[in-house]
Amino acid sequence: MSRLPRSNLRNPGAIKKLKLLYLAKILLDNTDANHDITLDEILNKLHAYDVTAARKSLYDDIAQLNDFGIKTQKTQYGRTVHYKVIGRAFELAELKLLVDSVAAAKFITEEKSNELIKKLESLTSRQEAATLQRQVYVAGRVKTMNSDIMKNVDAIHNAIANNSSLSFQYCRWNTKKELEVKHDGARYHVSPWGLLWNDGNYYLIGYDHDTQVKDIRHYRVDKMKNILIENKVREGREKLKKLDIASYGKSKFGMYNGEEIKAEILCKNSAIGVLIDRFGTDVTILKEDEAHSRVFVKVADNKLFIHWIMAMGDNFKIIGPENLVKEVHDEINRLAKQYGLAD
């Protein structure tokens, strides 16, 4: 517990100012909607900070804190007065939501997740902070190993704010479970236009300067290394005007690139909620018969989407377009050969 510096022990003015700050800390740390504190307990805790106070002076101090915005509720049980802070900036349910989001985010390292959760705990009382810690289990979750993730996000935001392009090295996992740079460390040159959180990972959405077919690409932020903001204005504004970044994330299964197509799926009505959960309510649904519907979704053409449909068993069947149906047949034949089932 932090005590007053010795230089303040003989300075009544400094002690008076610090008394108000310590009083606010005591109330915020020890009370909430379900926990209160008595004046005697407040006096004891102030004494632990080397602060002495008269009971009567605390009434005025608490009134000043109320005027400042730290709202307290006074309740009297018999001859004992109790106080508790009410109306905090964050409700406990809101903090639980934020804590769960931090814990679930794959792009934040385990160490940084625990650090952020501790900071969120400081926004409520010790009693409620304990309930936050009990409900969260960060250890063992799949988390990034890149400790530069926060600096990467900051650099990307700065580049966007300054209308500047950036460059970076991009990494991939090797057999030693290490992130190694791709293309012998060659730098990627990209105009950043947005950040997308998809399936627990953070992605940079940008305009690729280097490929022959210059186009919109996405990159895992936790796999970016040595980011530099370049002295060059961003490119690709016209292409980005045509792009809905949120929809872009829905169409990219596993965030793999592929030509965007409009897939037609024969779906059992009992399973249609799965498609709506994945693609949203903007999908087109046409009645096929009493038990089935035809559903049209925009999706990147890649094998991950095909296998996702296959994993749903007889609930879904790809019926269009023709080239996508052919890809399904080709993939089934490939799997049959791979597992020795082909003639």
Side-chain angles (χ1 to χ4, degrees), residues 67-188:
D67 292 339
F68 178 70
I70 301 176
K71 299 298 182 184
T72 58
Q73 179 178 302
K74 174 183 174 182
T75 307
Q76 190 158 347
Y77 302 100
R79 300 182 64 180
T80 306
V81 178
H82 296 248
Y83 291 92
K84 62 183 176 183
V85 174
I86 57 174
R88 289 176 180 265
F90 289 93
E91 296 176 8
L92 181 59
E94 293 172 331
L95 288 175
K96 286 181 178 179
L97 178 64
L98 293 173
V99 165
D100 283 343
S101 298
V102 169
K106 297 176 185 176
F107 64 89
I108 306 177
T109 64
E110 183 175 328
E111 181 182 0
K112 177 57 72 172
S113 290
N114 288 321
E115 182 183 324
L116 290 173
I117 289 169
K118 278 292 181 187
K119 290 179 179 179
L120 288 170
E121 288 174 4
S122 71
L123 297 176
T124 189
S125 67
R126 290 194 179 104
Q127 295 90 334
E128 290 190 340
T131 69
L132 290 177
Q133 190 60 37
R134 279 199 297 269
Q135 74 165 37
V136 176
Y137 302 92
V138 176
R141 292 194 181 185
V142 178
K143 304 286 266 180
T144 181
M145 303 296 289
N146 186 353
S147 60
D148 291 334
I149 181 69
M150 309 307 278
K151 289 190 291 185
N152 288 356
V153 171
D154 190 48
I156 292 168
H157 279 301
N158 287 336
I160 292 173
N162 295 322
N163 196 31
S164 300
S165 63
L166 48 77
S167 67
F168 53 87
Q169 294 172 305
Y170 203 51
C171 300
R172 64 183 171 193
W173 290 105
N174 62 23
T175 56
K176 298 178 182 178
K177 304 179 191 177
E178 300 168 335
L179 278 175
E180 62 181 13
V181 293
K182 296 177 67 175
H183 306 311
D184 297 321
R187 300 190 69 80
Y188 289 60

Side-chain angles (χ1 to χ4, degrees), residues 69 99 164 180 239 249 301 315 343:
V99 165
S164 300
E180 62 181 13
K239 287 218 170 191
D301 181 8
N315 287 310
D343 293 335

Side-chain angles (χ1 to χ4, degrees), residues 25-294:
K25 177 176 173 59
I26 289 166
L27 288 168
L28 290 169
D29 284 353
N30 296 278
T31 76
D32 53 58
N34 299 308
H35 301 89
D36 52 29
I37 192 170
T38 66
L39 276 180
D40 285 338
E41 289 171 328
I42 292 174
L43 287 167
N44 288 335
K45 290 183 181 297
L46 283 172
H47 181 71
Y49 288 118
D50 290 328
V51 175
T52 57
R55 292 173 66 90
K56 289 183 179 179
S57 71
L58 291 181
Y59 298 132
D60 291 334
D61 292 335
I62 292 172
Q64 284 186 318
L65 291 178
N66 271 289
D67 292 339
F68 178 70
I70 301 176
K71 299 298 182 184
T72 58
Q73 179 178 302
K74 174 183 174 182
T75 307
Q76 190 158 347
Y77 302 100
R79 300 182 64 180
T80 306
V81 178
H82 296 248
Y83 291 92
K84 62 183 176 183
V85 174
I86 57 174
R88 289 176 180 265
F90 289 93
E91 296 176 8
L92 181 59
E94 293 172 331
L95 288 175
K96 286 181 178 179
L97 178 64
L98 293 173
V99 165
D100 283 343
S101 298
V102 169
K106 297 176 185 176
F107 64 89
I108 306 177
T109 64
E110 183 175 328
E111 181 182 0
K112 177 57 72 172
S113 290
N114 288 321
E115 182 183 324
L116 290 173
I117 289 169
K118 278 292 181 187
K119 290 179 179 179
L120 288 170
E121 288 174 4
S122 71
L123 297 176
T124 189
S125 67
R126 290 194 179 104
Q127 295 90 334
E128 290 190 340
T131 69
L132 290 177
Q133 190 60 37
R134 279 199 297 269
Q135 74 165 37
V136 176
Y137 302 92
V138 176
R141 292 194 181 185
V142 178
K143 304 286 266 180
T144 181
M145 303 296 289
N146 186 353
S147 60
D148 291 334
I149 181 69
M150 309 307 278
K151 289 190 291 185
N152 288 356
V153 171
D154 190 48
I156 292 168
H157 279 301
N158 287 336
I160 292 173
N162 295 322
N163 196 31
S164 300
S165 63
L166 48 77
S167 67
F168 53 87
Q169 294 172 305
Y170 203 51
C171 300
R172 64 183 171 193
W173 290 105
N174 62 23
T175 56
K176 298 178 182 178
K177 304 179 191 177
E178 300 168 335
L179 278 175
E180 62 181 13
V181 293
K182 296 177 67 175
H183 306 311
D184 297 321
R187 300 190 69 80
Y188 289 60
H189 295 84
V190 175
S191 290
W193 288 97
L195 285 162
L196 174 68
W197 190 353
N198 187 289
D199 193 25
N201 290 311
Y202 224 0
Y203 294 88
L204 164 66
I205 308 299
Y207 181 76
D208 191 335
H209 301 180
D210 294 337
T211 54
Q212 288 184 342
V213 182
K214 298 182 185 297
D215 204 354
I216 305 302
R217 291 285 185 268
H218 57 266
Y219 306 89
R220 280 263 300 269
V221 176
D222 60 300
K223 291 186 177 181
M224 297 165 65
K225 186 177 180 181
N226 299 324
I227 295 180
L228 294 176
I229 298 177
E230 304 289 348
N231 186 23
K232 183 179 179 181
V233 175
R234 289 184 298 173
E235 300 177 19
R237 185 180 299 274
E238 292 304 315
K239 287 218 170 191
L240 263 295
K241 283 182 180 178
K242 303 174 184 176
L243 179 70
D244 180 340
I245 290 181
S247 297
Y248 178 89
K250 284 193 296 185
S251 70
K252 303 290 184 184
F253 266 78
M255 293 304 287
Y256 284 99
N257 283 312
E259 180 185 354
E260 189 172 275
I261 60 173
K262 196 168 189 178
E264 183 178 357
I265 303 166
L266 184 65
C267 170
K268 284 185 177 179
N269 290 340
S270 58
I272 206 162
V274 177
L275 291 177
I276 293 174
D277 285 341
R278 180 62 182 81
F279 295 99
T281 56
D282 55 350
V283 297
T284 301
I285 302 174
L286 301 177
K287 181 179 179 179
E288 179 71 11
D289 55 43
E290 292 304 316
H292 298 84
S293 296
R294 284 182 294 134

